[in-house]
Amino acid sequence: MNDEKVIQVQDLTKKFGDFTAVDAITFDVYRGEIFGFLGANGAGKTTAMKMLNGLSKPTSGNGTVAGLDVIKQSEKIKERIGYMSQRFSLYEDLTVKENIRFYGGVYGLSKQKIKDKTDQILEELQLTEVASKLVKALPLGWKQRLAFAISMVHDPKIVFLDEPTGGVDPAVRRQFWEAIYEAAKGGSTIFVTTHYMDEAEYCDRVSIMVDGKIEALDTPDNLKAHYNAESMDEVFLKLARN
Amino acid sequence: MKLLKYLIQKEFIQILRDKTLLPMMTVLPIIQLILLSIAASNEVKNVRLAIVDKDQSEMSRQLSNKVVANDRFSIVAAPFNNNQAMDLMQADKVDIILEVPQNFEKEFYRGEAPKLQMLVNAINGQQATIGSGYLSSIIGSLNQEIVLNEPVLFNSNSNNNSNATIIVSNNTWYNPELKYPHFMAPGILAELTALLTIILSAMNIVKEREVGTIEQINVTPIKKWQLIVGKLIPFLCIGMFVLTVGLTVAKLVFDIPMRGSLLLIYGYGFVNIICVLGLGLLISNFANTQQQAIFIAFFFVMIFILMCGLFTPIDSMPTWAQYFTIPNPLAHFISVTRKVLLKGSGFMDVKLEFFYTFILAIIFNSLAIWTYQKQE
């Protein structure tokens, strides 16, 4: 972890009509950090994340991602970030290889680079045997790991993961987090939302969102000490109950 | 453009892998083309006639023989009075009642111009007009025959009014045998191509929205125009393919004439399909589900089909409605296929259609790009 701020956010707000989904959140994320973005369902995690990756226009406030303004330069930001959405987002009617080639192509990688990336992903995920199978034929855990690998196909500085381990078994979740550590070690910043509190323990720092506001932000250990709790689970429950 | 290549490649793989799409592109158009060209006929056949013969003369019999000899008419009843005949019409058993009044023959030979009454069931206006037209001309020809056969009688009786009849002779050009499929097939061909492409394109982006992949696309640096063009090109190929299938079937099955240049048909088809696809993509920008997309697409398709001149000539629409056919790409497409295939028209004859369609294509596609939202 170092001091370079790759995400800076100030009073970022998103309103849908009268409803304030995200209420003036302020935080920084440092380079190479695994930043956990926690909150109950409907707390505004996904909306906040979408404002950072350019899918949603902030109602007010400002911020920068990878040195670019989230309001004025949202298209430019997209070149420097990866995103794995909550909904499964690979093409089920394309093969594993075709999905990698397509997203590589869309991010403007060269033919050779796409080929290298394909080999690398297939090997790392041990998908070589099913490379020519349609994605819909793969088990969910494999699909999720493939989606993660593809969201990093263009070596982005920051990757946003929206509940990446939803619905997969503990063994796959473990593999998934190993992959996340690997990516962070390579210098990428990981911004991850989750509502599995045990996963929060794996993060360098976590923020906890309640009703659109960030109620707490620190390392898991500090949070536990501060709230006099044994686990992140307890921290979360204490915060959410208030 | 390298990025575009990957988009188009992906779209083609998906299209070719889709098991429902290929039959939709081949079998459906063929069935529709054959069925509609034959069945959607405005020709009036089997007109059911009731003759109320109050004269019972040789001439009235001659008249009914003459009518029966024409295979469009069949005399289904010969009631004795008008009330009976009206009951038949009420029961929808006859289409036209022809009443021959008493003393018809006598008055005719006296040169008093007797009147025949024709009562036409005009619920189906077109059939009524055409059927009564045919019947009038049959009666008219009987009149002439009698005049010719019995010249002496007429010369002596009236002051030679046989010259007073104006004879209109018809020459049907471009479709001399009046083959209905020759008229319908080119139109239906155009309709099919436009219909299929508009629906496919309207569904496509919406489908990605439903599945969730569009979000992944939106988070890439891809430009809006690239996305739209990447969707447009594969469907343009499908459209041209359907057009080719349609032309082939129309030629093989109906032997439709191809008097003009096929290149012109393809050139125009190219512009037209781009235009229609633009509209389809525009629709998909405003729909969240495929169901919504289909409903909106159908709204346009219905208006386009009903006001395109396929079934009712544009010339017989009210003037204000005729203006509405200008933004209707289907109307231009049908006009071009008919003109070029049947009349052998060249580019200069269809330049207006080209012009309008080109403008529409630019409008629809710019709007499709403009209204596409990468950001909520």
Side-chain angles (χ1 to χ4, degrees):
Chain A
M1 210 163 100
N2 64 40
D3 292 344
E4 189 194 337
K5 290 175 182 171
V6 287
I7 300 176
Q8 282 179 291
V9 170
Q10 237 173 19
D11 295 329
L12 208 59
T13 301
K14 178 77 181 186
K15 288 183 182 171
F16 298 105
D18 290 338
F19 174 65
T20 307
V22 176
D23 192 0
I25 54 171
T26 301
F27 63 90
D28 299 323
V29 178
Y30 299 95
R31 196 170 107 87
E33 189 175 30
I34 299 175
F35 188 84
F37 210 59
L38 274 58
N41 290 326
K45 299 180 305 249
T46 301
T47 311
M49 186 181 256
K50 282 186 176 176
M51 284 194 281
L52 299 179
N53 63 25
L55 282 178
S56 179
K57 205 176 179 65
T59 312
S60 64
N62 53 58
T64 61
V65 171
L68 298 164
D69 190 282
V70 290
I71 292 163
K72 292 182 195 123
Q73 295 171 295
S74 62
E75 281 304 301
K76 260 264 174 292
I77 288 176
K78 289 173 182 173
E79 289 170 17
R80 304 190 186 174
I81 60 158
Y83 172 59
M84 178 182 164
S85 79
Q86 199 172 359
R87 294 166 77 187
F88 181 69
S89 55
L90 298 180
Y91 289 95
E92 299 237 311
D93 51 352
L94 295 187
T95 66
V96 174
K97 256 183 162 166
E98 285 162 351
N99 266 293
I100 302 172
R101 180 179 63 194
F102 172 67
Y103 282 110
V106 167
Y107 278 109
L109 305 190
S110 70
K111 222 172 175 177
Q112 184 58 44
K113 182 89 186 171
I114 291 176
K115 201 177 166 297
D116 294 345
K117 271 283 170 194
T118 306
D119 293 342
Q120 184 198 330
I121 291 172
L122 291 179
E123 198 178 320
E124 272 174 19
L125 301 184
Q126 294 164 351
L127 290 175
T128 316
E129 272 176 40
V130 292
S132 302
K133 278 212 172 135
L134 297 187
V135 164
K136 69 174 143 211
L138 301 184
L140 182 66
W142 296 21
K143 287 185 195 171
Q144 302 283 69
R145 285 169 63 213
L146 180 64
F148 176 52
I150 286 178
S151 72
M152 305 261 312
V153 74
H154 54 302
D155 299 319
K157 287 190 165 174
I158 309 164
V159 60
F160 292 89
L161 309 174
D162 196 1
E163 293 183 11
T165 53
V168 301
D169 63 64
V172 176
R173 268 169 64 192
R174 192 166 183 86
Q175 284 179 324
F176 203 97
W177 274 92
E178 277 166 16
I180 289 178
Y181 272 113
E182 206 59 43
K185 239 188 266 169
S188 299
T189 307
I190 315 285
F191 187 104
V192 55
T193 74
T194 179
H195 50 223
Y196 292 115
M197 288 307 139
D198 58 324
E199 289 186 351
E201 312 265 4
Y202 305 146
C203 300
D204 294 320
R205 283 194 307 150
V206 296
S207 76
I208 297 177
M209 247 184 129
V210 179
D211 294 335
K213 291 194 177 87
I214 291 182
E215 292 292 334
L217 200 170
D218 213 328
T219 63
D221 287 339
N222 286 351
L223 282 175
K224 278 184 279 190
H226 185 265
Y227 288 93
N228 197 16
E230 298 223 324
S231 67
M232 281 307 292
D233 221 21
E234 243 184 282
V235 175
F236 183 76
L237 286 174
K238 278 185 177 171
L239 269 168
R241 211 175 290 150
N242 294 333
Chain B
M1 205 52 218
K2 238 174 51 187
L3 199 157
L4 218 46
K5 191 197 97 183
Y6 288 102
L7 265 176
I8 295 167
Q9 180 187 43
K10 168 224 141 202
E11 217 64 51
F12 266 117
I13 293 174
Q14 287 184 303
I15 289 167
L16 294 177
R17 218 163 258 168
D18 191 333
K19 289 199 170 60
T20 53
L21 210 54
L22 210 64
M24 223 172 117
M25 282 158 45
T26 49
V27 181
L28 281 192
I30 293 174
I31 293 176
Q32 257 199 12
L33 186 66
I34 295 177
L35 211 62
L36 283 180
S37 300
I38 297 174
S41 162
N42 282 345
E43 263 184 301
V44 175
K45 288 175 185 161
N46 308 323
V47 180
R48 295 162 304 172
L49 196 69
I51 294 189
V52 186
D53 187 354
K54 292 181 180 160
D55 197 32
Q56 297 289 347
S57 61
E58 194 190 330
M59 193 159 175
S60 67
R61 272 188 294 276
Q62 212 180 331
L63 179 68
S64 53
N65 286 340
K66 183 92 181 151
V67 173
V68 175
N70 186 305
D71 58 9
R72 285 181 208 279
F73 294 97
S74 51
I75 296 179
V76 292
F80 295 109
N81 59 48
N82 289 6
N83 285 347
Q84 265 181 334
M86 281 312 290
D87 287 344
L88 286 169
M89 187 176 277
Q90 194 70 38
D92 203 22
K93 295 209 168 91
V94 301
D95 302 310
I96 298 180
I97 300 169
L98 181 66
E99 188 201 336
V100 185
Q102 257 178 352
N103 301 327
F104 172 69
E105 192 180 50
K106 260 186 218 160
E107 285 179 19
F108 184 81
Y109 284 119
R110 263 193 241 134
E112 284 175 11
K115 290 196 172 78
L116 288 166
Q117 177 168 245
M118 215 193 291
L119 296 167
V120 184
N121 177 357
I123 284 183
N124 182 340
Q126 192 166 21
Q127 194 174 20
T129 340
I130 297 176
S132 60
Y134 281 146
L135 194 55
S136 307
S137 70
I138 291 171
I139 296 166
S141 70
L142 177 75
N143 192 1
Q144 276 176 22
E145 269 173 41
I146 294 170
V147 174
L148 285 175
N149 289 342
E150 302 177 40
V152 186
L153 189 98
F154 273 88
N155 281 341
S156 62
N157 219 332
S158 58
N159 289 334
N160 196 3
N161 60 1
S162 59
N163 290 339
T165 333
I166 295 169
I167 299 166
V168 180
S169 76
N170 290 318
N171 279 320
T172 48
W173 280 31
Y174 308 127
N175 188 2
E177 296 137 278
L178 286 174
K179 280 191 182 155
Y180 211 73
H182 283 192
F183 171 69
M184 286 307 278
I188 288 169
L189 180 72
E191 181 236 298
L192 275 177
T193 313
L195 188 80
L196 197 69
T197 43
I198 194 175
I199 290 196
L200 284 180
S201 60
M203 303 267 281
N204 187 275
I205 292 184
V206 183
K207 189 177 161 198
E208 290 214 30
R209 192 167 295 145
E210 273 186 355
V211 179
T213 45
I214 201 72
E215 200 173 77
Q216 202 62 39
I217 296 288
N218 285 343
V219 84
T220 68
I222 197 166
K223 304 248 186 330
K224 289 204 269 182
W225 70 264
Q226 289 170 326
L227 183 70
I228 296 292
V229 173
K231 293 281 181 195
L232 202 124
I233 291 175
F235 289 113
L236 179 60
C237 295
I238 292 185
M240 297 304 265
F241 176 75
V242 172
L243 183 62
T244 311
V245 170
L247 276 171
T248 315
V249 171
K251 181 74 197 168
L252 291 179
V253 178
F254 299 115
D255 194 28
I256 56 159
M258 292 184 173
R259 300 203 173 88
S261 137
L262 273 183
L263 199 69
L264 190 61
I265 293 278
Y266 274 99
Y268 178 79
F270 186 83
V271 181
N272 190 283
I273 293 168
I274 291 180
C275 168
V276 177
L277 284 174
L279 181 63
L281 294 172
L282 182 61
I283 289 172
S284 75
N285 286 350
F286 290 95
N288 286 319
T289 63
Q290 295 190 61
Q291 226 170 20
Q292 287 173 0
I294 282 284
F295 271 120
I296 305 173
F298 251 86
F299 170 76
F300 284 102
V301 164
M302 286 309 280
I303 293 179
F304 284 175
I305 291 184
L306 291 176
M307 297 192 62
C308 69
L310 182 61
F311 298 110
T312 42
I314 290 173
D315 295 331
S316 51
M317 294 176 188
T319 320
W320 62 266
Q322 290 188 25
Y323 288 116
F324 272 95
T325 63
I326 292 177
N328 181 349
L330 195 51
H332 302 308
F333 204 167
I334 287 171
S335 166
V336 169
T337 50
R338 280 181 178 163
K339 277 185 185 171
V340 175
L341 291 176
L342 300 183
K343 260 165 103 175
S345 300
F347 176 74
M348 289 316 279
D349 303 308
V350 294
K351 64 174 190 294
L352 253 186
E353 283 91 340
F354 253 100
F355 173 74
Y356 285 137
T357 315
F358 189 72
I359 298 290
L360 285 173
I362 291 176
I363 293 175
F364 288 149
N365 283 289
S366 315
L367 280 177
I369 294 172
W370 186 56
T371 58
Y372 183 83
Q373 288 194 320
K374 275 189 85 179
Q375 198 176 41
E376 285 167 18

